[in-house]
Amino acid sequence: MTNPTPPTSGVQLLEVAPEYAGQRIDNFLRTQLKGAPKTLIYRILRKGEVRVNKGRIKPEYKLQAGDVVRVPPLRLAERDEPVPLAQGLLERLEAAIVFEDKALIVVNKPAGIAVHGGSGLNYGVIEAFRQLRPECKDLELVHRLDRDTSGLLMIAKKRSMLRHLHDALRSERVVDKRYHALVRGNWPAAKKQVAVPLLKNNLRSGERMVEVNPEGKEALTEFKVLRRFGDFATLVEARPITGRTHQIRVHAKHAGHSIAGDPKYGDEEFSREIRELGGKRLFLHSAHLRVPMPDGSVLELDAQVDEVWLRTLERLDA
């Protein structure tokens, strides 16, 4: 029995729309050629098989509106078709949408769901929404949340919105993101910010770890006490002014008040006591978002925490 021949595409001529102006050709092809491995894209670029306006280009070439990109015939394996995701997951994420218009989706991401596939996962929030919204060809994550963090996550439906929000996120204090976190001990009301540099390390396993290090990047998080549970725990609001990996988690640990349920930077004894109350999750939630829109309006959203979070806080109060 022979294996079926992978489907072969013909020569494609792609005209660059204005919203793709300024994008690198390699990134453009990764967006347009869904399912094509990165190795294939870089190979056809390296061999000069991709032409722009009939001329050879380098992978770092930045496109201009009106450019005509010639893509050679490609053989794509059938496995490149996305694996259908469980209907239950799709329904759960559809129900978690808190805002949607023609250019943007904002979802209250449940804890435990990755934002994208990788590291042994073949799906995440973005893969699910590409199945939920197959007519939206340019769906992209605007930013990321850790897998175990819940709350507000932005997904752009158009390249123009993606560029607008990336520009806004790069400007400190333009986008207001506020998180809720349950931390160990009695957080002092006078401690309103943590400003220490953070250095990211990638371990051999591929796992990312972040540490306070003078050679790292500048990082600032503002904190405010929301609720106290004696000397045992405090519910705080954390507002990251900079956007470093694991910033809130590492800054909370540095302040001596690790976040409940944090397997990397937490206090295991504190997390175990919270788990015994039913709190089997990382207690970090993206609760509030305020972001300027391209038309000059301001989008302001809040996201509710899940039942596990609510029940755990009720038991802490008892």
Side-chain angles (χ1 to χ4, degrees), residues 124-236:
V125 172
I126 188 62
E127 288 82 9
F129 272 97
R130 284 172 180 156
Q131 291 195 29
L132 286 166
R133 300 288 185 274
E135 72 282 4
C136 299
K137 304 302 182 185
D138 294 323
L139 276 182
E140 296 289 350
L141 293 165
V142 174
H143 60 115
R144 286 164 170 72
L145 292 177
D146 294 334
R147 179 178 180 176
D148 294 325
T149 301
S150 58
L152 295 167
L153 177 70
M154 294 185 284
I155 302 168
K157 297 165 80 172
K158 294 185 176 180
R159 294 286 310 175
S160 54
M161 178 61 81
L162 184 67
R163 280 202 308 273
H164 168 79
L165 292 174
H166 279 174
D167 288 343
L169 286 166
R170 279 192 288 268
S171 304
E172 291 181 6
R173 299 184 184 273
V174 171
V175 176
D176 187 356
K177 291 193 291 183
R178 301 185 186 227
Y179 293 71
H180 289 178
L182 182 67
V183 302
R184 187 190 73 177
N186 193 337
W187 186 289
K191 191 166 193 63
K192 298 185 183 299
Q193 66 176 37
V194 175
V196 289
L198 300 178
L199 182 66
K200 182 167 63 175
N201 294 306
N202 289 320
L203 305 183
R204 277 189 211 171
S205 62
E207 186 180 11
R208 291 181 299 178
M209 291 292 290
V210 177
E211 64 180 8
V212 173
N213 190 307
E215 296 180 5
K217 292 182 178 179
E218 177 185 341
L220 170 63
T221 309
E222 296 177 347
F223 289 92
K224 181 172 76 174
V225 172
L226 297 177
R227 192 170 166 191
R228 296 188 190 280
F229 302 94
D231 289 331
F232 178 65
T234 310
L235 182 67
V236 298

Side-chain angles (χ1 to χ4, degrees), residues 2 18 24 53 91 103 156 161 196 205 260 264 272:
T2 58
R24 283 173 47 133
N53 304 328
E91 290 173 359
M161 178 61 81
V196 289
S205 62
K264 286 189 177 181
R272 178 179 53 76

